[in-house]
Amino acid sequence: MSGATTPSTGAGAPSEPAQGERSWPLWEVFVRGKRGLSHVHVGSLHAPDAELALRNARDVYTRRQEGVSIWVVKADDVTASSPSEKDSFFDPAGDKIYRHPTFYDVPEDVEYL
Amino acid sequence: MYGNDVIDPNEPLNAAETADYDAAAEHDDQRDGRDAVGDDFDALLAADQRIEPRDAMPDDYRETLIRQIAQHAHSEIIGMQPEGNWITRAPSLRRKAILIAKVQDEAGHGLYLYSAAETLGIDRQELLERLHDGKQKYSSIFNYPTLTWADCGAIGWLVDGAAIMNQVPLCRCSYGPYARAMVRVCKEESFHQRQGFEILWNLMRGTESQKAMAQDAADRWWWPALAMFGPPDTGEAAKGGHTEQSMAWGIKRFSNDDLRQKFVDMMVPQAEKLGIVLPDPELRWNDERGHWDFGEIDWDEFWQVLRGDGPCNAERIEHRRRAHDEGAWVREAANAYAAKQATREREQQQQKESAA
Ligand SMILES: [Fe+2]
Ligand SMILES: [Fe+2]
């Protein structure tokens, strides 16, 4: 998954509702499917506080025992890299192919290498 | 709605995901093609790569998606009403528990979809207002009433069945958050259709009046279910519709007519198995086409219901509004509680700091 640290709202999303009620903050939900796996981003939801975000996440994202542990993080607290800077941001790794094992020429008949 | 990585991508979503779906919607997720094609919208589409929320995209694409996803989300939550109507009258505790779970799933589907729409920069509150004000539509099918218990069976079997047929290709839609929401939805829909089939299966093995009840429900839901795929959009009818553009954008993968045909082909043998006679005298196997021929859909009725003149349009929106308004105090209370907790935490923090 590529969007693990991207908040669900796009850049420039309106955070205030059109009128009337205050919208609850957006929370990003991460679920550990089972022991031995990392928490993985599964979606988002609105909730007034962390405790309710957690309860709602349980009801929405683990109704069929899809998880053994849940994290909720306020979407506003997620800092994401920007797609427009993508090239320059990730460029430094581009020319360092010697970081990969396949870069090296070694004789074929060497075992366990 | 973002990921679905807790779901195994290699497992078929449900019975409607057949080999030709996969072939037509071939999506090479394994390949690291994204870097090869760069971030240009058209290049990404051409390479059948996903568009993600903060990517640059044409305004029309964004607007089309917001409208479609919102309409889809509205359908999920309005769709809770026809069956919700039977929760207190379900014939057994088992059926009641199942029905509650199903209706709860539909609420969840609504949430996944509203979340996906929000990634495009719109607030859920605003989408709900558009629904309540009649500025945005939901699927016409939910404007028909649920008159007997058998309607819960017919809805699961036919309406969820048609929804699955529509939704499986959307799992390969070009917009990432929408596609991922659909994967989760499709997984959950399988149970909906099977429980509906089971209701009808049991009724068809019951008394004469139970059989008649099942047949009557199928009679009433069959044609509206066929209309769920939308107006004809192939041949002459392709002109002036949205299908072509949506296909070019990778939002739509099959025409309405194709999906409807697939649905009919899938349902005819199932109806036979149930012992239900589908209410179409023109239904017959066409050897040449390799498909079932079926009769003309009443599109006047479809447009009439869509315009607001269906049996339950006013009732559905009125109920939805009331539920929203009557829930206001809960939302306010939750806000007040959250504010109080936050103040308390701040105070405790300050006390700790001044004590240190
Ligand atoms: Fe649904
Ligand atoms: Fe459903």
Side-chain angles (χ1 to χ4, degrees), chain B residues 102 106 109 160 189 192:
Chain B
K102 197 219 171 213
E106 305 300 3
H109 296 175
D160 289 271
E189 289 294 350
H192 299 179

Side-chain angles (χ1 to χ4, degrees), chain A residues 21 41 46 63-64 81, chain B residues 2 54 105 118-119 331 335:
Chain A
E21 276 173 58
H41 186 246
H46 290 275
R63 285 201 303 287
R64 291 177 175 79
S81 63
Chain B
Y2 254 87
R54 307 205 312 158
D105 271 359
E118 285 192 310
T119 65
R331 296 190 291 276
N335 275 339

